[in-house]
Amino acid sequence: MAAVEIVSFGYLHDAAPSAHLTIDLRHHFRDPHVSPELRYMTADDEPVRAAVLGTSGITDLVEATATAVAAFASGPSAGAVTVADGCAGGRHRAPTFARALAERLRAEGHRVTVTHRDMHRPVVQR
């Protein structure tokens, strides 16, 4: 199976990293930032993960992205497949999605690395 690199990030911190697939989670999925009790948490906290993974459509997007990764990996070129997934600040939706995708891909036998570019950054006041 292919090597897969997943990078979660926040669009409000910097441009999207270079990737074969870039998933924009900003506009179609509930942002935990709008809930004061979740705002200062990250994807390391269970309430954030539950809120993101409980959002309608997110598990379908994980599956669709896993299918797209498999298509890239089955191509004639060798090398890792890179997936970048971003939300506004990079603390909630993007790292939760990245972890869910990694879990799904590992279950298929892919070698997966995950980097959270912006999860450690302060909350963006907006």
Side-chain angles (χ1 to χ4, degrees):
M1 286 286 162
V4 181
E5 300 171 3
I6 303 172
V7 180
S8 73
F9 68 96
Y11 283 95
L12 295 175
H13 293 291
D14 204 352
S18 178
H20 298 99
L21 292 167
T22 302
I23 309 297
D24 186 342
L25 301 167
R26 292 177 292 178
H27 304 290
H28 297 284
F29 302 101
R30 183 180 171 274
D31 185 358
H33 178 90
V34 301
S35 299
E37 68 275 10
L38 301 178
R39 182 170 300 146
Y40 293 93
M41 294 182 182
T42 70
D44 286 337
D45 299 297
E46 176 55 33
V48 168
R49 291 191 305 273
V52 172
L53 296 175
T55 301
S56 180
I58 202 79
T59 55
D60 292 337
L61 184 59
V62 168
E63 290 300 315
T65 305
T67 299
V69 167
F72 275 97
S74 68
S77 298
V81 177
T82 303
V83 178
D85 69 291
C87 60
R91 295 171 50 90
H92 302 111
R93 291 169 289 184
T96 299
F97 179 88
R99 288 175 176 167
L101 178 60
E103 181 179 318
R104 172 70 173 75
L105 293 171
R106 286 179 181 128
E108 291 180 356
H110 292 282
R111 296 178 316 277
V112 181
T113 59
V114 180
T115 303
H116 303 298
R117 186 186 79 183
D118 300 320
M119 193 167 78
H120 68 283
R121 294 183 184 237
V123 172
V124 176
Q125 299 303 321
R126 47 190 161 114

